[in-house]
Amino acid sequence: MARDMREVELLDGDEQTAPPDGLAPARRRPRWRWWVACGVVVAVAGLAAGQWFVDARERAVVAALARVDGVVPPLGDTVETSPLSTQEVEEYQLADLDLPAATVTAGADGSRSVVSSHVGADGQPLWSVPVLAPASAGASSGDAGPSDVSRCVTGAGKDATAVCVVSDAVLTVSDSVPLLRPATTTKVVVVGTDDGQVLSTWATGPAVAVASLPGVVLTGYADESSRVVTVVAHDETTGAERWRYTMPLSEGSAAAAWGIGRAVYTVGDLAVVTDEMAMTVLDADGRVVRDDLGRGDGVAAYGYVLDGALVVSTMTRSGEATTTVLAPDGDPRSDRVYTGDLMTPVDDGSVPGLVLTITSGSLPLAQQMGDESTRPGRGPGLRAYDSATGEELWYARLSTNAGPTGAIVLRGRVYVTSTAAAVVALDARTGRRVWKSADTGTDLGMFTDGRWVYSVVHRPLSSDDAWLVGWDLRSGAERWSARLPDGLEAVTVEGHTLLAIDFTNGRSSHLS
């Protein structure tokens, strides 16, 4: 194909047209310089636009991370402290807990009322319902409190309900031994938490524990004379007994203390009955699903609910910890069993399914000194698992004598702190160390604002001067630092609020 060939006129070196008389010849600037100048301007503008885009994206990421539980607002150039009262600290600590919307209070005359956990503008509970008359001769007035044996839990069967066991029993402690004065009256009360309307109520036998399944209320009691724990399932509307389950109280367990804490609780459609050394899982009809948890010589176990699953932590006399996450139906073949104690880090979800555990303790001195070889995967460190398969992904030993005390999962990395280093950054998928801070750690706290990761260090190391240092997430370079006021050393995060603890008086302050 014939091309349209055009003559190219070279501008540099052309003959100049003669200027008018009396004027000096005008110098023509080469046009290529204009093109170069324009190109530079366009390049600079492109770089500026690119940087603006990067900065905007970073701001968007930080803004999204600010909604992750445990991420605090960015700190200023200096640290501002605001002392907090004990009540304010408790409010911060309780703010993110899934507490029932009702509680039981005791009057000076020994009466009991179910009251709303929420207060109005006047600072008073939104509603209050008297449910137990003043104390009889068997229970003197004014010596019982809501933390004894009366309590409420969130109802599982209906929206906006609370299920309460109300009793005039009194729990006391003498020479560190718990003593339970038996109740003269015990009843179950189901209330609507919007307005305090009593939906159902009935008298029941002795009960110091309560839990809720859909349509069912569970009450429990431990008898000292028979050394037997009894759990009774009641119809939530009529109070009629549906079934009951009994189990022996473990040796060494105090019957009077059995109801303290969560002796009976539920997860999904399963009920969990516990004491100090044993744990039994029942289905909604009272049939035993699991009774193999925490039993055995020298094994202590406790359970808790995390993300809708029952988690059981066991510890042997030798200090070896194991964490078991039960399958929703209780089938042991679908359990996830992990070595170490489960960590619940600040997690932005950048590595879905990542489970972290910590193994504590220390290696024998001969292994610390290198005189004896260390078996792979032994000693204090951090382990990562795939929650879908239970497969161990990697193990990272951070020190020969101390395991990590805190972890943050952020942007595909795991940031941990220990006495060995203020911060160590690991690739969350491989466990490979990316960087390690120069400062030795203090075990006094680590947190993030989404931009950097912060930790407490002593500078100089042997001094009592505590500093907050912000480390670059990618490189580990120090980006920010500020000295904490005298007395403030340990830091902790409640929700999105950064708190510091004064070891000299035990009081807390808000940091910003």
Side-chain angles (χ1 to χ4, degrees):
M1 177 183 295
R3 296 185 178 179
D4 181 13
M5 302 295 292
R6 296 186 181 183
E7 184 178 353
V8 178
E9 183 180 8
L10 298 179
L11 300 178
D12 286 345
D14 286 353
E15 294 183 359
Q16 304 292 326
T17 304
D21 293 340
L23 295 179
R27 183 178 180 183
R28 297 179 61 185
R29 295 183 179 181
R31 295 182 182 178
W32 66 268
R33 295 182 181 178
W34 288 101
W35 289 109
V36 171
C38 290
V40 171
V41 171
V42 171
V44 171
L47 290 174
Q51 186 61 47
W52 178 89
F53 176 78
V54 171
D55 292 343
R57 184 175 60 180
E58 178 67 13
R59 287 193 296 270
V61 170
V62 172
L65 290 173
R67 296 189 290 271
V68 175
D69 188 38
V71 176
V72 305
L75 297 175
D77 294 333
T78 59
V79 174
E80 302 293 334
T81 62
S82 303
L84 300 174
S85 66
T86 301
Q87 180 179 351
E88 289 174 319
V89 173
E90 290 177 351
E91 289 175 353
Y92 279 124
Q93 293 173 338
L94 297 176
D96 291 333
L97 297 180
D98 185 19
L99 298 176
T103 187
V104 181
T105 61
D109 58 359
S111 61
R112 303 291 191 274
S113 297
V114 177
V115 303
S116 173
S117 299
H118 304 292
V119 298
D122 59 356
Q124 298 300 311
L126 294 180
W127 49 262
S128 178
V129 180
V131 293
L132 208 59
S136 63
S140 58
S141 62
D143 60 357
S147 62
D148 290 344
V149 297
S150 297
R151 63 194 62 194
C152 299
V153 297
T154 301
K158 302 175 182 177
D159 293 335
T161 62
V163 178
C164 308
V165 61
V166 184
S167 171
D168 61 0
V170 177
L171 182 67
T172 61
V173 177
S174 177
D175 295 330
S176 301
V177 177
L179 302 173
L180 182 65
R181 188 174 65 196
T184 61
T185 304
T186 303
K187 63 169 56 177
V188 173
V189 182
V190 181
V191 298
T193 54
D194 290 335
D195 53 10
Q197 179 183 1
V198 176
L199 303 178
S200 59
T201 183
W202 63 88
T204 185
V208 295
V210 64
S212 178
L213 288 169
V216 176
V217 174
L218 305 176
T219 60
Y221 183 77
D223 182 71
E224 181 63 55
S225 60
S226 64
R227 303 288 298 172
V228 170
V229 171
T230 301
V231 175
V232 181
H234 310 262
D235 183 279
E236 185 180 75
T237 302
T238 66
E241 181 177 324
R242 290 192 177 181
W243 53 262
R244 67 174 49 209
Y245 170 79
T246 60
M247 75 176 193
L249 193 64
S250 295
E251 183 178 354
S253 296
W258 178 79
I260 301 175
R262 302 179 69 189
V264 180
Y265 57 94
T266 59
V267 51
D269 292 329
L270 301 176
V272 184
V273 185
T274 71
D275 68 7
E276 293 180 6
M277 299 296 291
M279 183 178 301
T280 302
V281 180
L282 309 173
D283 66 14
D285 295 319
R287 292 184 293 262
V288 175
V289 176
R290 299 285 292 273
D291 61 358
D292 59 329
L293 302 167
R295 295 189 181 273
D297 184 32
V299 176
Y302 68 93
Y304 56 96
V305 179
L306 179 65
D307 296 332
L310 176 61
V311 180
V312 179
S313 178
T314 59
M315 179 75 71
T316 65
R317 291 187 185 276
S318 62
E320 296 179 355
T322 300
T323 299
T324 303
V325 180
L326 267 66
D329 59 359
D331 187 344
R333 294 172 296 181
S334 301
D335 287 350
R336 295 288 179 258
V337 181
Y338 308 121
T339 299
D341 289 314
L342 194 66
M343 295 194 77
T344 53
V346 175
D347 191 345
D348 68 347
S350 57
V351 188
L354 182 68
V355 174
L356 299 176
T357 67
I358 175 177
T359 50
S360 57
S362 62
L363 293 173
L365 183 60
Q367 294 181 4
Q368 293 187 35
M369 302 298 294
D371 297 333
E372 293 182 4
S373 60
T374 304
R375 291 170 54 190
R378 301 283 293 184
L382 187 70
R383 298 177 187 273
Y385 294 87
D386 183 342
S387 64
T389 63
E391 176 187 3
E392 182 173 326
L393 302 176
W394 49 264
Y395 166 79
R397 181 184 300 138
L398 306 176
S399 168
T400 59
N401 58 9
T405 56
I408 296 173
V409 181
L410 195 64
R411 304 191 189 190
R413 290 181 180 175
V414 178
Y415 300 90
V416 293
T417 183
S418 71
T419 55
V423 180
V424 177
L426 306 171
D427 187 303
R429 292 172 176 80
T430 65
R432 179 184 62 86
R433 191 174 78 183
V434 181
W435 57 261
K436 175 183 176 181
S437 63
D439 289 79
T440 301
T442 60
D443 284 356
L444 296 178
M446 179 181 65
F447 62 94
T448 184
D449 60 5
R451 303 175 304 165
W452 305 316
V453 60
Y454 300 79
S455 62
V456 179
V457 301
H458 282 165
R459 290 180 174 175
L461 180 61
S462 59
S463 74
D464 292 331
D465 293 340
W467 288 72
L468 273 181
V469 180
W471 312 91
D472 187 278
L473 295 175
R474 295 184 179 87
S475 66
E478 183 175 323
R479 296 299 187 189
W480 180 95
S481 65
R483 187 180 181 276
L484 289 172
D486 290 340
L488 297 182
E489 288 190 72
V491 297
T492 184
V493 176
E494 300 293 346
H496 298 279
T497 303
L498 180 62
L499 305 178
I501 302 172
D502 188 333
F503 285 159
T504 62
N505 56 27
R507 295 183 178 178
S508 298
S509 296
H510 175 215
L511 298 185
S512 60

